[in-house]
Amino acid sequence: MTATISLPPAAEADDRSFSSSALRLSLAPTGPAPALLDGAWWPRSRDLGAELPSLAAVLDALWGRITRVTVNPTHWPVVPRKVPAPGHVVKVGWFLAEQDPHELLLLSYRTGRWNLLVVPPQTTPVSAAWLMAAASDPLGTSTASRLMEEAARLRTVYEADRSVEEVWDSEGGREARDPAARPRIPTVTAAMPHQPMGR
């Protein structure tokens, strides 16, 4: 299930410094078999201080107060120790070798732990939609990095197909496929001279 979640008006009214734009978040439905990922988050930048408050505001209501977050600093230029969220502060930590570089780990004190795929901000909407759906699959068995690799492979296949199609089109293929674009060949009907039979 992919959803665009807007911040509730109450959360926006609490602190105007938090982003009021729609949060791009996709969460897996809760089920008996735990998946490797609990969903995906598509932030608009790599600024944790700016992006994390709106994520925490939404997840606090769904999962309980988010108290701690860990990231792999590979894709985050600055990892602050604390980030203010509506009504509390989220502690931020990082692990280089131990944590998938494309994953965000969230902890809620005495409630649980969740792993989200972080879709890179510059990702195209088509790739982001695929990644968010795949990360939200309750039967998913792929890690965040494996999903990113698969998305890159699919993008390469798509671009190769587009390249072949562009060559086809440049050589007249589109016109050949489109009956409306084909020039009309006039039909010529010639009368055949009458030949007597039996000669």
Side-chain angles (χ1 to χ4, degrees), residues 71-74 94-101:
V71 297
N72 181 314
T74 302
W94 60 271
F95 297 100
L96 191 58
E98 299 87 353
Q99 187 166 344
D100 189 311

Side-chain angles (χ1 to χ4, degrees), residues 68-133:
R68 189 169 200 67
V69 169
T70 64
V71 297
N72 181 314
T74 302
H75 299 295
W76 299 99
V78 176
V79 180
R81 289 180 180 226
K82 296 179 180 179
V83 173
H88 69 291
V89 173
V90 177
K91 293 179 183 177
V92 182
W94 60 271
F95 297 100
L96 191 58
E98 299 87 353
Q99 187 166 344
D100 189 311
H102 300 286
E103 192 173 284
L104 179 76
L105 170 69
L106 302 113
L107 298 165
S108 179
Y109 183 64
R110 293 188 182 171
T111 306
R113 165 195 165 145
W114 299 272
N115 299 305
L116 295 180
L117 163 72
V118 178
V119 178
Q122 72 278 7
T123 305
T124 64
V126 171
S127 288
W130 183 88
L131 283 164
M132 292 180 88

Side-chain angles (χ1 to χ4, degrees), residues 14 18 32 37 52 58 63 67 133 148 164 168-169 172 177 181 194:
D14 286 344
F18 298 117
L37 294 168
L52 199 53
V58 170
W63 292 343
T67 54
M148 293 299 295
V164 168
W168 170 261
D169 291 346
R177 284 185 297 185
H194 177 53

